[in-house]
Amino acid sequence: MDIRLRIEQALEAAVSAGETQEAPPGLAAAIRYAVFPAGHRIRPRILLGVAAACGDDAPEVSDAAAAAIELLHCASLAHDDLPAFDGASTRRGKPSLHRAYGEPLAVLTGDALIVMAFETLARGAGGRPERLGPLVAAVGRAVGTPGGICAGQAWEGEAKVDLSAYQRAKTGALFAGAAAAGAIAAGRVGEPWMAFGNGLGEAYQVADDICDLIADPEVIGKPVGQDQAHARPNAARELGLEGAKKRLATLMRRAVESIPDCPGRDGLCAMVMAEGGKILPKGAVRHAA
Amino acid sequence: MDIRLRIEQALEAAVSAGETQEAPPGLAAAIRYAVFPAGHRIRPRILLGVAAACGDDAPEVSDAAAAAIELLHCASLAHDDLPAFDGASTRRGKPSLHRAYGEPLAVLTGDALIVMAFETLARGAGGRPERLGPLVAAVGRAVGTPGGICAGQAWEGEAKVDLSAYQRAKTGALFAGAAAAGAIAAGRVGEPWMAFGNGLGEAYQVADDICDLIADPEVIGKPVGQDQAHARPNAARELGLEGAKKRLATLMRRAVESIPDCPGRDGLCAMVMAEGGKILPKGAVRHAA
């Protein structure tokens, strides 16, 4: 089955499990709004790519893990967009969650999505209980503290920032978690895959920095210039546009080189290189040199 | 080992696992502030009481589950106290989390505590992998949506409230989850324990309503009169003080009657009745009739 279809079906199954008669209607609607329609779904695509390269012998586990990783990403967007953080008014081309549903439901939606992610893992791994512990550990490490995305966001409020810990936690951790979870879902050890995920995360961060500097907000569906507005580091501002593009290419090549030995190594390399060509969204660049 | 000591040690282990050099110092401090010093710890005490009644053959699992339930309770307090919800200025006798650490860290602390709860479960159940899935499911159901505490909080923003779904989700669900998780941690099925947990939760809600109406805020460490201020239902206002006390006694008796057959049934009954006598904190009542 097509990877994008698998991801959307797994997300649909996870979200609709929470849409019983018992659910408060506003929260149910806000959760659906936060998850659909699809963004890039880049993290679950990496996860399923790694699972496929490792044999993907239990697709019900890898589907659940892919959904969990994306639910957690959606949770982080719901909370990062809150007025207490970026106060972003748009996301994925529509009003941000707190603009559409108010601040209380934006907080609760993020919370509910985090819980839903772990419930989804447990449901998916029902037939492979020995994989659940390592999955929860890999996913938890990617999103919590000390080194996950909660920690990454918290670094932005520190007076003295450990820049490498900040960047690793803010972006790299969830990519590393996606790669590790893909391997674990397919019955492999997750650790050796973290360097690959981290590398992709670094590359994605540079691409995101380029977009934040020069993209058309209408095309990418969210405000630009946020790094400067919030005094955050930005590779494209530091290296210049051409320097940042070169850095992006180097990081993509290094990520590919770090792919561990596995049955589907060649296929995964090809997929990553193809994705690399699309990492800067078409038409996103407003006045590229 | 004393139940309170087990709980504090399990919480200390969970919290300190996030306090590595990698952690942003503000978030690490805020997490510790949200968890310590101890509140009543009533939910993990119920969990360990049920586990003991079921034989408690794997204390490392029940300790982890007890810590997880309390971490999730602390997460819900951190978020419920936010200005978007109650805007409470005090909690457990000290400034509420957002007053002490600011709103961004209060949001992130809640998020990180939710993640930490599931990581703690996975770590504790490492040697009993077959118990992890049911534990994650029972705990997830208690805190997420459609019927957990996220849903309970979301009902407060609905124009038309399903009152029984609201009360079950806001308070009952986490007590039911604690009871079920205690049984699962000891190798039993969780479902039959949910009525007992729900009953205790209902009783606790009535006790909380009595406190909110007539307690001394200095003694209970949080503001009173919140139900009226936020137009929430309150049993003591509806039934009168004496009526509410009678209702509390009835609910406690019913909860005890619903304890399933298990090796330590008598001990658990005695524990619950003893706790019942203490459910209204000593000196909490300011001008009881």
Side-chain angles (χ1 to χ4, degrees):
Chain A
M1 198 195 296
D2 173 66
I3 250 187
R4 287 191 77 95
L5 193 59
R6 279 180 68 182
I7 294 167
E8 296 315 304
Q9 287 188 351
L11 286 168
E12 179 59 40
V15 168
S16 59
E19 290 172 331
T20 67
Q21 279 218 324
E22 196 188 358
L27 179 61
I31 288 174
R32 184 162 281 280
Y33 185 92
V35 177
F36 302 107
H40 299 310
R41 309 292 199 211
I42 189 161
R43 295 157 191 82
R45 273 157 62 205
I46 291 168
L47 189 150
L48 289 182
V50 170
C54 293
D56 202 17
D57 66 342
E60 74 285 3
V61 186
S62 52
D63 282 355
I69 282 284
E70 184 66 14
L71 293 172
L72 289 162
H73 176 57
C74 295
S76 80
L77 300 182
H79 284 183
D80 287 2
D81 284 345
L82 286 171
F85 301 104
D86 286 8
S89 56
T90 55
R91 169 70 70 180
R92 290 177 176 169
K94 57 184 188 180
S96 59
L97 190 65
H98 70 97
R99 285 292 178 100
Y101 286 87
E103 220 178 310
L105 276 182
V107 173
L108 293 172
T109 295
D111 295 353
L113 286 171
I114 302 174
V115 176
M116 189 182 281
F118 290 102
E119 288 182 286
T120 301
L121 282 181
R123 213 178 292 124
R128 307 276 184 161
E130 73 290 356
R131 297 187 189 177
L132 180 57
L135 276 175
V136 171
V139 169
R141 183 173 42 200
V143 293
T145 198
I149 46 181
C150 286
Q153 187 69 32
W155 274 115
E156 292 184 8
E158 290 286 336
K160 207 177 147 192
V161 178
D162 178 335
L163 202 62
S164 101
Y166 163 61
Q167 288 174 329
R168 212 166 42 233
K170 181 82 195 272
T171 314
L174 197 51
F175 282 82
I184 297 164
R188 303 259 167 162
V189 177
E191 286 282 348
W193 286 89
M194 293 187 67
F196 168 61
N198 257 320
L200 284 185
E202 272 188 272
Y204 187 80
Q205 185 60 57
V206 173
D208 205 53
D209 288 356
I210 293 174
C211 282
D212 190 66
L213 199 71
I214 60 161
D216 181 340
E218 299 247 331
V219 173
I220 62 168
K222 62 179 181 180
V224 297
Q226 293 296 296
D227 290 335
Q228 190 147 26
H230 298 280
R232 287 186 299 232
N234 180 303
R237 222 169 51 227
E238 285 152 33
L239 303 172
L241 183 58
E242 283 313 307
K245 283 183 177 172
K246 268 186 206 152
R247 173 105 184 110
L248 175 56
T250 307
L251 289 169
M252 290 299 291
R253 201 184 59 243
R254 270 197 218 148
V256 166
E257 287 166 2
S258 71
I259 296 177
D261 264 340
C262 58
R265 195 178 187 286
D266 292 348
L268 183 60
C269 291
M271 172 192 153
V272 172
M273 294 313 287
E275 294 276 333
K278 296 183 283 184
I279 200 167
L280 286 175
K282 256 186 207 162
V285 175
R286 204 171 39 190
H287 31 243
Chain B
M1 198 195 296
D2 174 65
I3 251 188
R4 288 190 78 95
L5 192 59
R6 280 179 68 181
I7 295 167
E8 296 315 304
Q9 288 187 350
L11 286 168
E12 178 59 41
V15 168
S16 59
E19 290 173 330
T20 67
Q21 279 219 323
E22 196 188 356
L27 180 60
I31 288 174
R32 184 162 281 280
Y33 185 91
V35 178
F36 302 106
H40 299 310
R41 309 292 200 214
I42 189 162
R43 295 156 192 81
R45 273 156 62 203
I46 291 167
L47 190 150
L48 289 182
V50 170
C54 293
D56 202 15
D57 66 342
E60 74 286 4
V61 186
S62 52
D63 282 353
I69 283 284
E70 183 66 13
L71 293 172
L72 289 161
H73 176 58
C74 295
S76 79
L77 299 182
H79 284 184
D80 287 3
D81 284 346
L82 286 170
F85 300 104
D86 286 7
S89 57
T90 55
R91 169 69 69 182
R92 289 177 177 170
K94 57 184 188 178
S96 58
L97 190 64
H98 70 96
R99 285 293 178 97
Y101 286 88
E103 221 177 309
L105 277 183
V107 173
L108 293 172
T109 295
D111 295 353
L113 286 172
I114 301 174
V115 176
M116 188 182 281
F118 291 102
E119 288 182 286
T120 302
L121 282 181
R123 212 178 293 124
R128 307 276 184 160
E130 74 289 356
R131 297 187 190 177
L132 180 58
L135 276 175
V136 170
V139 168
R141 183 172 45 199
V143 294
T145 197
I149 46 181
C150 287
Q153 187 69 31
W155 275 116
E156 292 184 8
E158 291 285 335
K160 207 176 146 191
V161 178
D162 178 336
L163 201 62
S164 101
Y166 163 61
Q167 287 174 328
R168 213 168 40 234
K170 182 81 195 273
T171 314
L174 197 51
F175 282 81
I184 297 165
R188 304 259 167 161
V189 178
E191 286 283 348
W193 286 89
M194 293 188 65
F196 167 62
N198 257 320
L200 283 184
E202 272 188 88
Y204 186 80
Q205 185 60 58
V206 172
D208 205 50
D209 287 357
I210 294 174
C211 282
D212 189 64
L213 199 71
I214 59 162
D216 182 339
E218 298 247 328
V219 173
I220 64 167
K222 62 180 181 180
V224 298
Q226 293 297 295
D227 290 335
Q228 191 148 26
H230 298 279
R232 287 185 299 231
N234 180 303
R237 221 169 51 229
E238 286 151 33
L239 304 171
L241 183 60
E242 284 313 307
K245 282 183 178 171
K246 268 186 207 154
R247 173 109 184 107
L248 175 56
T250 307
L251 289 169
M252 291 299 293
R253 202 184 56 244
R254 272 197 217 147
V256 166
E257 286 165 3
S258 71
I259 296 177
D261 264 340
C262 59
R265 196 179 187 285
D266 292 348
L268 183 59
C269 291
M271 172 192 153
V272 172
M273 293 314 288
E275 293 275 332
K278 294 183 283 184
I279 200 167
L280 287 175
K282 258 188 207 159
V285 175
R286 201 172 40 189
H287 31 242

